[in-house]
Amino acid sequence: MTEFENKLLQQLEGIRIALEHIANKSNFRATDFSNLKLSNQQEVVNDVVVNNIDFEHKNSQLLMSQNDPSINRLFFGTPDGSGFDECNVINDPDSPKVLYVVETIDGINGKFYPLSKGYSRLKSNAKSFLLPLCELRSNLDSIENFNILPNDYGEIKLEDGYWNVKKKCIIKC
């Protein structure tokens, strides 16, 4: 999968989550999205049908953290043991060295997850780059990319300049 395809897939997933969030928030029970508009003002195709919109509580908690200005994102490359040294923050989120994102509101507690763009590096060095921070729920060879939902993000806490993993990120097939 190319970088472009990967980014496109991530954006489509974001749109899907946003629609689920909107539908759940307003108790939306529709079979036709024909009256909705996309940001570029193109109409959604009339034959888009949503069947069985029945969300579990955990899915209702999904939010579009990419657009939430209260969340501070820190980008890290390779982990330092079972976490990240605060001084190793990478300021450029587009850097090829970035492997993980830490999202925090208070600067002390946060959630983290690996980025799909670092998949091949993480997979090829799984013992030191992936397994200290992530729990695999399937065979690493069967995972083609990371599509981690917010409920599966790991939990992390800043202690004496070190982001220490409190709960590993869960990676499923």
Side-chain angles (χ1 to χ4, degrees):
M1 180 177 290
T2 67
E3 184 71 26
F4 172 77
E5 291 170 329
N6 203 4
K7 285 184 179 184
L8 183 61
L9 189 61
Q10 287 175 346
Q11 289 176 345
L12 288 171
E13 178 67 8
I15 292 169
R16 182 190 66 77
I17 291 170
L19 286 172
E20 284 179 359
H21 185 69
I22 291 167
N24 190 40
K25 198 171 192 176
S26 63
N27 295 322
F28 190 74
R29 297 249 183 241
T31 56
D32 188 353
F33 282 99
S34 61
N35 61 343
L36 294 177
K37 302 262 186 189
L38 296 173
S39 61
N40 64 359
Q41 299 303 311
Q42 293 178 341
E43 286 194 28
V44 176
V45 179
N46 286 338
D47 52 342
V48 172
V49 176
V50 175
N51 294 319
N52 211 8
I53 300 179
D54 193 16
F55 301 103
E56 298 175 29
H57 175 67
K58 65 181 182 177
N59 286 336
S60 69
Q61 295 175 342
L62 295 178
L63 54 96
M64 291 297 300
S65 63
Q66 298 288 14
N67 298 326
D68 189 340
S70 68
I71 296 177
N72 184 26
R73 282 171 200 77
L74 307 171
F75 301 93
F76 291 95
T78 58
D80 301 304
S82 62
F84 305 101
D85 196 322
E86 185 178 34
C87 68
N88 290 334
V89 170
I90 298 172
N91 294 322
D92 178 12
D94 296 323
S95 169
K97 294 180 182 180
V98 172
L99 297 175
Y100 287 92
V101 176
V102 171
E103 294 183 347
T104 180
I105 294 174
D106 64 7
I108 296 171
N109 298 293
K111 304 269 185 180
F112 77 94
Y113 52 92
L115 290 174
S116 289
K117 73 177 187 175
Y119 172 75
S120 60
R121 282 186 59 211
L122 289 164
K123 185 176 175 181
S124 66
N125 296 296
K127 190 172 184 176
S128 56
F129 290 2
L130 188 64
L131 297 177
L133 306 176
C134 300
E135 177 185 330
L136 299 177
R137 294 274 171 97
S138 48
N139 187 331
L140 185 60
D141 293 330
S142 68
I143 300 171
E144 295 181 18
N145 66 15
F146 300 127
N147 186 15
I148 303 168
L149 296 175
N151 291 336
D152 293 329
Y153 288 176
E155 295 176 11
I156 199 161
K157 183 172 186 173
L158 183 62
E159 299 169 331
D160 296 324
Y162 183 77
W163 285 97
N164 193 22
V165 171
K166 297 300 180 184
K167 180 184 155 226
K168 289 185 174 187
C169 181
I170 297 171
I171 299 174
K172 303 173 187 174
C173 183

